[in-house]
Amino acid sequence: MTITAENWKNKVGTSSRNCNCGSWKQHWINITSDQWPNSCSIRGCKNSATLGAHIINTNVTGERIVPACDSCNQLENEFNLKGEITLVSANKAKTCEQ
Ligand SMILES: [Zn+2]
Ligand SMILES: [Zn+2]
């Protein structure tokens, strides 16, 4: 599945959400079966990825979860993702709570 890396934004007001995985970090790990990456998914950021951020894109339906750092999770402007980032659906009904 190829999905754009450009022009993403944080979804505001998701901090109180949770899912069966226990955390959105664990959600990303469970769905991808990948290793949690060392660094944040936002292009140009070298911080460690500490959480699963809810992000949205006008060209993409639904919300996605990507590994990010605390400061990128608070960005208010659009940002681009690094290449080869795996985006996971934040739709619990289609992922961990089927
Ligand atoms: Zn989950
Ligand atoms: Zn970051």
Side-chain angles (χ1 to χ4, degrees):
M1 179 181 65
T2 305
I3 197 164
T4 181
E6 314 292 322
N7 304 117
W8 288 88
K9 286 192 79 169
N10 283 305
K11 175 78 176 177
V12 177
T14 58
S15 57
S16 64
R17 291 194 198 172
N18 52 42
C19 72
N20 278 346
C21 305
S23 70
W24 294 103
K25 174 180 177 178
Q26 192 61 46
H27 179 90
W28 187 94
I29 293 169
N30 288 353
I31 306 301
T32 61
S33 304
D34 275 353
Q35 293 276 335
W36 184 252
N38 289 324
S39 65
C40 177
S41 303
I42 282 63
R43 196 178 298 169
C45 180
K46 295 187 171 68
N47 294 337
S48 299
T50 56
L51 50 81
H54 285 74
I55 60 171
I56 52 174
N57 190 305
T58 53
N59 295 317
V60 177
T61 303
E63 298 167 18
R64 295 291 188 281
I65 303 293
V66 291
C69 69
D70 283 317
S71 64
C72 288
N73 192 41
Q74 292 166 31
L75 290 173
E76 293 181 359
N77 296 326
E78 289 189 351
F79 50 80
N80 299 324
L81 302 175
K82 296 171 183 171
E84 78 269 344
I85 297 298
T86 305
L87 294 96
V88 170
S89 175
N91 188 333
K92 293 181 281 189
K94 291 183 176 173
T95 54
C96 57
E97 297 182 10
Q98 280 180 326

